[in-house]
Amino acid sequence: MRILLVEDDKEAATYLVKGLTESGHTVEHAADGDTGLQLAMENAYDAMIVDRMLPRRDGLSLIEEIRKSGNNTPVLILSALDNVDERITGLKAGGDDYLTKPYSLSELTARLFALTRRAQSGTSETVLRVGDLSLDLIKHKVTRAGENINLQPREFRLLEYLMQHTGQVVTRSMLLENVWDYHFDPQTNVIDVQISRLRSKIDKDFDTPLLHTVRGAGYKLQEESRGISMS
């Protein structure tokens, strides 16, 4: 991916540029909002990472300007402001996702991947598939190898989110925000319990496991388990 990073914190910018470049991406960096806006208007990017608090022009103003110009490049907002109202303000300004500081590089790259994947698809799929597992969003039906699997509403939403991020590591904070709508860590084992229940339904009676635990990182739904540590 070709990524525009607009971040005035030199240490944070160096960290991100290094990490994203090592992951195979091309990164252009702007240290202030005006420079970031100019680059966004003059060049094509697959995604943008924009810090909210910037010199010369704040991040939200930058995003609003590029949206007015018809630029729909996916934008991930970075901010130290973590309350719900601030997130909503960022999304209303035209951001596609909102990541609070401090963050992990693995979560940032996972969110970027999800944003660009949605942008490239152009349409919303109604049936999600991973191997012989399918989830029908319209009929609210899950099957594996032709067998019906009965899921509770939260289990269904959890599986839907994992299938929408097939092949990616999904972190606990991503699940808390997008499946439970928590913007804080409730300090409970709710995710572990639900993952265990879901795994018992979609994997237990089948030869090939699909739901994997990536130790120290999160969870991943995919066909191949090569190189993945199972819980």
Side-chain angles (χ1 to χ4, degrees):
M1 282 192 291
R2 188 183 184 195
I3 300 168
L4 172 62
L5 169 65
V6 189
E7 169 64 80
D8 63 314
D9 185 308
K10 291 183 180 180
E11 186 176 345
T14 300
Y15 168 73
L16 283 176
V17 170
K18 182 175 184 293
L20 292 169
T21 301
E22 289 175 349
S23 297
H25 305 297
T26 300
V27 185
E28 291 186 40
H29 172 233
D32 63 78
D34 281 348
T35 303
L37 179 61
Q38 182 179 351
L39 288 173
M41 293 293 201
E42 295 177 352
N43 302 287
Y45 298 96
D46 297 301
M48 300 182 194
I49 304 170
V50 179
D51 185 40
R52 177 156 183 175
M53 305 299 290
L54 295 166
R56 302 178 67 182
R57 177 187 290 271
D58 69 272
L60 299 192
S61 172
L62 185 161
I63 296 168
E64 288 172 344
E65 285 299 315
I66 66 170
R67 293 299 187 236
K68 286 179 185 176
S69 73
N71 187 327
N72 294 315
T73 302
V75 176
L76 174 62
I77 299 173
L78 300 180
S79 178
L81 305 173
D82 62 355
N83 66 63
V84 175
D85 288 341
E86 294 296 344
R87 291 167 183 264
I88 292 172
T89 300
L91 298 176
K92 283 185 175 180
D96 297 280
D97 200 356
Y98 193 107
L99 185 60
T100 56
K101 301 177 180 182
Y103 52 82
S104 68
L105 183 62
S106 61
E107 179 168 5
L108 182 144
T109 53
R111 289 182 182 236
L112 277 182
F113 184 85
L115 289 179
T116 55
R117 186 178 179 182
R118 288 201 300 268
Q120 290 166 1
S121 67
T123 57
S124 298
E125 298 177 77
T126 58
V127 179
L128 307 177
R129 292 185 176 85
V130 178
D132 57 359
L133 177 68
S134 70
L135 181 149
D136 191 316
L137 294 168
I138 304 299
K139 297 179 179 178
H140 210 76
K141 180 180 180 181
V142 176
T143 63
R144 182 164 185 192
E147 296 183 23
N148 288 330
I149 297 175
N150 295 318
L151 299 181
Q152 297 297 317
R154 186 74 69 182
E155 294 167 347
F156 187 93
R157 178 69 189 104
L158 175 58
L159 180 59
E160 177 189 347
Y161 188 77
L162 290 167
M163 293 184 80
Q164 288 172 337
H165 297 78
T166 298
Q168 299 174 239
V169 175
V170 175
T171 66
R172 292 176 63 88
S173 61
M174 291 169 72
L175 292 176
L176 286 171
E177 288 185 18
N178 294 282
V179 178
W180 278 267
D181 198 28
Y182 289 162
H183 298 283
F184 60 94
D185 189 343
Q187 301 296 319
T188 69
N189 65 344
V190 61
I191 291 179
D192 303 308
V193 170
Q194 290 290 347
I195 286 287
S196 179
R197 289 177 179 171
L198 181 61
R199 181 176 281 137
S200 71
K201 294 184 178 182
I202 67 171
D203 279 345
K204 184 178 179 182
D205 297 324
F206 300 92
D207 294 333
T208 306
L210 296 176
L211 180 51
H212 311 282
T213 298
V214 183
R215 291 177 183 167
Y219 306 95
K220 180 183 287 190
L221 192 74
Q222 67 175 26
E223 274 191 273
E224 297 181 353
S225 58
R226 202 175 308 165
I228 298 176
S229 299
M230 298 294 294
S231 66

